[in-house]
Amino acid sequence: MDTPRIAVWKFASCDGCQLSLLDCEEELLDLVGAVHIAHFLEASSRVEGGPYDISFVEGSITTAADAERIEAIRAASRLLVTIGACATAGGIQALRNSRALGDLVQAVYPAPDLIKVLETSTPISEHVTVDAELRGCPVSRHQLLEFVAAALAGRKPDLPDVSQCAECKRAGTVCVMVAHGTPCLGPVTRAGCGNLCPRVGRGCYGCFGPVDGANCAALSEQMRKLGLDTTAIAALYRNFNSGAAAFVEEAARHD
């Protein structure tokens, strides 16, 4: 596409995924020369109206106002791309989905009657059509650049569709679960982080969400053999991607 107009939007999130884009540094300078950034409040106070060729959306939907705003953004965007665990799976805030919202609000806020939120924290895809998802907590800056480069070239982006275990194998990283008995979500987690945790001896925390076809039941059985009880197994799946369907279902099996 010719000089695409790009917008970056924030919903309920920590801003980490937007910072990943800003962290591109030198690459970002090249990117600015190839695209027109029309809306990106994390980087500039300048705001231009739509339509936009690509909208990158960070964050989950947690209020009625959020639900209305994402509809308007969808209508103004040719491509809508969700970035990060909050936008693709509801984020860490989706931990509330399995509990009574009223109890949580009462426990946290001194004036609960002032809190107006939806019962659940949900991914963008539950509200509007999403053209692509870039997972991670935070999203990979390399995947962000790859998506834009692919859009400019008119090709399909080259994004990981294998588990974290494949990424570890390619890097020659010793399996922490086999070698040390360390609980690890790598077998059911999508690759993309560069096996950050396993390469320093820690188990994968599932930051990039479940890989397609994840066999969580088999992994949970292995966790049981490592000595984890049902509470600990459920807790493994209730993390940054606690709202992802495969992790929701497996955690519920161990409640």
Side-chain angles (χ1 to χ4, degrees):
M1 59 179 69
D2 296 328
T3 316
R5 302 182 77 244
I6 289 181
V8 183
W9 309 90
K10 170 185 166 59
F11 287 82
S13 61
C14 71
D15 285 34
C17 292
Q18 294 181 81
L19 291 175
S20 290
L21 181 53
L22 292 176
D23 192 41
C24 291
E25 298 176 343
E26 292 183 6
E27 298 97 326
L28 187 59
L29 295 177
D30 293 332
L31 180 63
V32 168
V35 303
H36 178 72
I37 299 179
H39 184 285
F40 188 4
L41 294 181
E42 191 84 9
S44 173
S45 59
R46 185 187 68 208
V47 174
E48 297 180 17
Y52 309 102
D53 291 296
I54 305 174
S55 277
F56 290 107
V57 180
E58 174 194 72
S60 64
I61 303 299
T62 59
T63 68
D66 285 345
E68 290 182 8
R69 188 160 66 96
I70 193 59
E71 292 278 359
I73 292 171
R74 172 70 271 186
S77 308
R78 189 172 73 82
L79 294 177
L80 190 147
V81 183
T82 49
I83 58 174
C86 293
T88 60
I92 194 73
Q93 53 270 32
L95 284 170
R96 80 175 196 231
N97 295 357
S98 61
R99 304 184 183 185
L101 178 62
D103 293 342
L104 293 174
V105 171
Q106 283 285 144
V108 174
Y109 297 99
D113 54 305
L114 298 179
I115 306 303
K116 306 298 181 184
V117 295
L118 300 174
E119 286 292 323
T120 56
S121 171
T122 48
I124 302 299
S125 61
E126 289 197 18
H127 300 267
V128 298
T129 299
V130 170
D131 297 297
E133 293 183 323
L134 302 181
R135 298 173 178 85
C137 188
V139 67
S140 162
R141 68 188 187 95
H142 301 294
Q143 290 188 22
L144 281 167
L145 290 170
E146 165 60 16
F147 188 90
V148 175
L152 289 170
R155 62 172 174 81
K156 181 180 179 180
D158 182 15
L159 302 173
D161 60 357
V162 296
S163 74
Q164 178 60 229
C165 291
E167 197 164 39
C168 284
K169 291 289 186 181
R170 291 168 182 166
T173 300
V174 173
C175 178
V176 297
M177 192 155 57
V178 172
H180 309 296
T182 302
C184 178
L185 290 177
V188 297
T189 298
R190 184 179 296 270
C193 70
N195 68 310
L196 288 175
C197 291
R199 75 184 184 192
V200 294
R202 298 187 302 181
C204 170
Y205 290 93
C207 295
F208 277 68
V211 68
D212 294 342
N215 190 344
C216 294
L219 178 62
S220 295
E221 177 59 21
Q222 183 61 33
M223 297 295 186
R224 187 189 63 77
K225 292 178 180 178
L226 292 178
L228 275 67
D229 60 20
T230 55
T231 300
I233 292 173
L236 282 174
Y237 296 101
R238 290 188 172 129
N239 50 34
F240 312 104
N241 283 277
S242 61
F247 287 0
V248 168
E249 293 169 8
E250 190 59 24
R253 281 203 323 117
H254 296 276
D255 283 339

